[in-house]
Amino acid sequence: MSQHNADYFIESLNETHDRKSFSCGVEALDRYFWQQAGQEARKHIAATFILVEMSTKKLAGYYTLSSIGIDVGELPEVITKKLPKYSLLPATLLGRLAVDINYKGKKLGELLLIDALKRSFKLSKEIASMAIMVDAKNEQAVNFYQHYGFIQFPKRTNKLFLPMATIASLA
Ligand SMILES: CC(C)(COP(=O)(O)OP(=O)(O)OC[C@H]1O[C@@H](n2cnc3c(N)ncnc32)[C@H](O)[C@@H]1OP(=O)(O)O)[C@@H](O)C(=O)NCCC(=O)NCCS
C-alpha cells in the first residue's frame, strides 16, 4: 500500500483554510464542508483532513474520521464467527470523502482514501478498531469503495466496510 504525490499534502482542517472555494458537485458534501466540518472538529465529533495543492494552496479534497460501533448483527457471519460475542464492535467511520470537481480523475480520491486507511490503521494500534466503515452517498460512491475492496453490509448495501486485518496485510 503506497501512495505518494509530491504536488499535494494532507493536514488537519483549521480556521486558515478557505473552505468556501471547494466544490465536489454533491451538495450535501459541500455544505457539510463549508458549514459543519469546523464545528464537528471542535466538538470532537469528526476529524477533517484536507488535501492541499502545494503550488496554489487550493483545497483539492477532504475526508473525515470518527469512532463508531458496528452492530454485530449487521456483519456477515463469516466475519463475526471468529470474533467475541459483543453486541457492538469498535470501528472507524470514514464519514465523508470528496474531491473538488476541478481535480477529479487525478487519483486524488485514491490518495485521500489510502491516507485515511493508513491513518486509521496506525491509530488502531493504540485505540483498537476492527474495520473501517463508510456510508456511501450514492451508487457511484458504492462503486468507488468496492473498487478498493470494501464489502457491502448484507442488509444495507449503501454501507460498506473494510476489515482492519485486510489493511494490516497491505501495510
Ligand atoms: C468518488 C471520488 C472521491 C473519486 O475521486 P477521484 O479523484 O475522481 O478518483 P481517482 O482519480 O482517485 O480514481 C481512482 C480510481 O477509482 C476509480 N473510480 C473513481 N470513481 C469511481 C466510481 N464512481 N466508481 C468506480 N470506480 C471509480 C477510478 O477509475 C480509478 O481507477 P483506476 O485506479 O483503476 O484507474 C470523487 O469523484 C468525488 O468526490 N465524488 C463526489 C463525492 C462522493 O461521491 N464521495 C464519495 C462518498 S462520500
Side-chain angles (χ1 to χ4, degrees), residues 6-134:
D7 298 332
Y8 298 86
F9 62 92
I10 294 175
E11 65 181 11
S12 289
L13 179 70
N14 67 50
E15 276 84 33
T16 67
H17 297 124
D18 174 22
R19 277 182 271 163
K20 262 291 180 193
S21 62
F22 179 87
S23 177
C24 72
V26 176
E27 204 191 333
L29 291 171
D30 288 345
R31 200 183 295 280
Y32 174 84
F33 190 53
W34 300 334
Q35 299 175 355
Q36 265 172 270
Q39 275 183 43
E40 292 204 0
R42 283 193 297 279
K43 292 178 179 169
H44 306 281
I45 303 294
T48 297
F49 297 90
I50 53 161
L51 179 68
V52 184
E53 187 176 31
M54 198 88 79
S55 59
T56 61
K57 298 287 178 288
K58 284 193 174 155
L59 305 195
Y62 80 92
Y63 69 79
T64 67
L65 293 178
S66 306
S67 296
I68 195 165
I70 298 187
D71 184 338
V72 75
E74 290 193 9
L75 286 165
E77 210 187 309
V78 60
I79 296 209
T80 53
K81 70 179 182 200
K82 296 179 205 144
L83 297 173
K85 306 278 170 255
Y86 297 131
S87 54
L88 282 179
L89 291 166
T92 304
L93 175 68
L94 177 56
R96 294 168 171 90
L97 184 153
V99 171
D100 185 279
I101 35 179
N102 296 313
Y103 291 85
K104 278 188 187 170
K106 297 171 185 272
K107 299 264 185 194
L108 297 179
E110 177 171 304
L111 184 76
L112 282 169
L113 180 61
I114 291 181
D115 191 77
L117 299 185
K118 282 185 173 170
R119 192 182 302 276
S120 303
F121 173 60
K122 190 172 161 210
L123 294 173
S124 75
K125 291 179 190 168
E126 301 205 348
I127 299 181
S129 165
M130 53 80 65
I132 311 256
M133 196 190 109
V134 294

Side-chain angles (χ1 to χ4, degrees), residues 138-164:
N138 51 41
E139 206 184 319
Q140 270 199 335
V142 170
N143 294 338
F144 175 73
Y145 290 118
Q146 283 182 321
H147 187 76
Y148 291 97
F150 277 75
I151 303 161
Q152 283 172 309
F153 280 74
K155 291 179 199 142
R156 308 260 313 262
T157 51
N158 63 332
K159 270 174 79 171
L160 301 93
F161 71 97
L162 191 61
M164 203 59 82

